[in-house]
Structure formats: structure tokens, C-alpha cells
């Protein structure tokens, strides 16, 4: 069900840079509970994957999903580095690398190498330290992409 909802929203976003939905209407459309819509939006439409999500609660509430367009590569790298911060989970880091690959910013080999270097098994550290080291590795890779 999550894949179907994601596919639908991405199809709409393919026609426009943003979509505004009502959670209850989407739940009715897909015959699911509203929390399923939340799950899809929270896991599949993240900043790391190139989307901004805005929401307004209440009777006239909505959820707006906006596909992010950055002006140039340098701005994109700066934004991603800011998102990474000092700590990042493996899932979020892999999502960023996947998005860079999908946008042809990285080739497959580069993406695979970066993900291998950030893998929790390879790092072999406690979770908190691994997140911090992973963030440093990812930011270093992103900074080095400026100087091809």
C-alpha cells in the first residue's frame, strides 16, 4: 500500500513541483487509515530524498509536498552538508547518497563506495559514535565532490 501511495504522489509531483493534499481524503482514496498516509510522507518524502513537507492541522488543514530544486551544485552540496550536521543515521545517509545517484550527481560506483564506507558493520562503533563518524565521512565526500 505504501508503494502505491508513494507512486501516486510522485506521479502528481511529476506534473507539478508541489502537491497539496488532505490526509483524510487521501486515506479515503486509497481505502486506508490516515496514519498510513503519514507514514508514507514521513518516510518517503524527506529532505534527504529531495522534498520539503509543510502541514497545517485543523479543519482546513493540509499537507503540502514540495520537490526541492536547488540553483546549482555548490548550493546543493551546502544544503546537504547542513542537513547532515554532526550526526546521521545509516538510513538517512544512504537516502542522501541514493538521491545523488538518482540525480546523476554520483555514478553507481561512487555511490556504492560511499555507502560501503558508512556502513555500521564496517564502522564497528557504538551507535552514537557511528552516527558522528558517518556524518564526517559523508560531509568529507560531499566537500570533495566540489573539486573534480
Amino acid at each position: 500500500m505504501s508503494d502505491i501511495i508513494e507512486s501516486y504522489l510522485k506521479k502528481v509531483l511529476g506534473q507539478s513541483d508541489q502537491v497539496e493534499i488532505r490526509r483524510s481524503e487521501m486515506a479515503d482514496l486509497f481505502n486506508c487509515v490516515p496514519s498510513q498516509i503519514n507514514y508514507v510522507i514521513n518516510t518517503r518524502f524527506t529532505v534527504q530524498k529531495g522534498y520539503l513537507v509543510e502541514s497545517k492541522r485543523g479543519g482546513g488543514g493540509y499537507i503540502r509536498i514540495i520537490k526541492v530544486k536547488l540553483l546549482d551544485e555548490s548550493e546543493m552540496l551546502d544544503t546537504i552538508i547542513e542537513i547532515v550536521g554532526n550526526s546521521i543515521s545509516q538510513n538517512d545517509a544512504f537516502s542522501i547518497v541514493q538521491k545523488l545517484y538518482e540525480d546523476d550527481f554520483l555514478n553507481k560506483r561512487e555511490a556504492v563506495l560511499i555507502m560501503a564506507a558508512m556502513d555500521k558493520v564496517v564502522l564497528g562503533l557504538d551507535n552514537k559514535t557511528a552516527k558522528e563518524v558517518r556524518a564526517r565521512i559523508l560531509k568529507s565526500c560531499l566537500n570533495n565532490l566540489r573539486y573534480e
Side-chain angles (χ1 to χ4, degrees), residues 79-137:
T79 301
I80 294 171
I81 288 168
E82 187 176 317
I83 290 166
V84 171
N86 294 323
S87 174
I88 189 166
S89 71
Q90 182 170 312
N91 285 343
D92 286 347
F94 282 18
S95 291
I96 289 170
V97 173
Q98 179 67 32
K99 179 68 176 154
L100 292 170
Y101 170 70
E102 289 171 1
D103 290 347
D104 295 322
F105 197 80
L106 296 174
N107 65 37
K108 185 174 183 176
R109 183 180 176 107
E110 292 166 335
V112 168
L113 288 171
I114 292 170
M115 288 192 291
M118 296 186 302
D119 190 274
K120 63 183 173 188
V121 175
V122 171
L123 295 177
L125 301 166
D126 64 88
N127 194 37
K128 182 179 183 294
T129 306
K131 285 181 174 184
E132 292 168 355
V133 171
R134 188 177 297 113
R136 289 198 308 260
I137 291 169

Side-chain angles (χ1 to χ4, degrees), residues 13-145:
L13 284 165
Q15 300 165 355
S16 173
D17 289 339
Q18 70 178 19
V19 62
E20 192 170 296
I21 61 169
R22 287 193 168 37
R23 192 174 70 130
S24 60
E25 291 174 8
M26 287 289 294
D28 290 342
L29 178 65
F30 290 101
N31 196 27
C32 66
V33 294
S35 62
Q36 182 75 36
I37 305 301
N38 280 352
Y39 172 79
V40 171
I41 291 168
N42 291 335
T43 60
R44 313 238 178 141
F45 294 91
T46 63
V47 172
Q48 294 88 344
K49 294 181 181 180
Y51 299 95
L52 289 177
V53 177
E54 300 173 350
S55 64
K56 179 183 174 227
R57 296 188 182 270
Y62 61 84
I63 298 171
R64 182 179 297 138
I65 304 170
I66 305 165
K67 191 169 188 174
V68 176
K69 286 188 177 178
L70 298 171
L71 298 176
D72 61 23
E73 290 179 359
S74 180
E75 180 183 344
M76 178 178 71
L77 291 171
D78 289 342
T79 301
I80 294 171
I81 288 168
E82 187 176 317
I83 290 166
V84 171
N86 294 323
S87 174
I88 189 166
S89 71
Q90 182 170 312
N91 285 343
D92 286 347
F94 282 18
S95 291
I96 289 170
V97 173
Q98 179 67 32
K99 179 68 176 154
L100 292 170
Y101 170 70
E102 289 171 1
D103 290 347
D104 295 322
F105 197 80
L106 296 174
N107 65 37
K108 185 174 183 176
R109 183 180 176 107
E110 292 166 335
V112 168
L113 288 171
I114 292 170
M115 288 192 291
M118 296 186 302
D119 190 274
K120 63 183 173 188
V121 175
V122 171
L123 295 177
L125 301 166
D126 64 88
N127 194 37
K128 182 179 183 294
T129 306
K131 285 181 174 184
E132 292 168 355
V133 171
R134 188 177 297 113
R136 289 198 308 260
I137 291 169
L138 183 55
K139 290 192 299 187
S140 177
C141 290
L142 294 171
N143 275 316
N144 280 287
L145 287 173

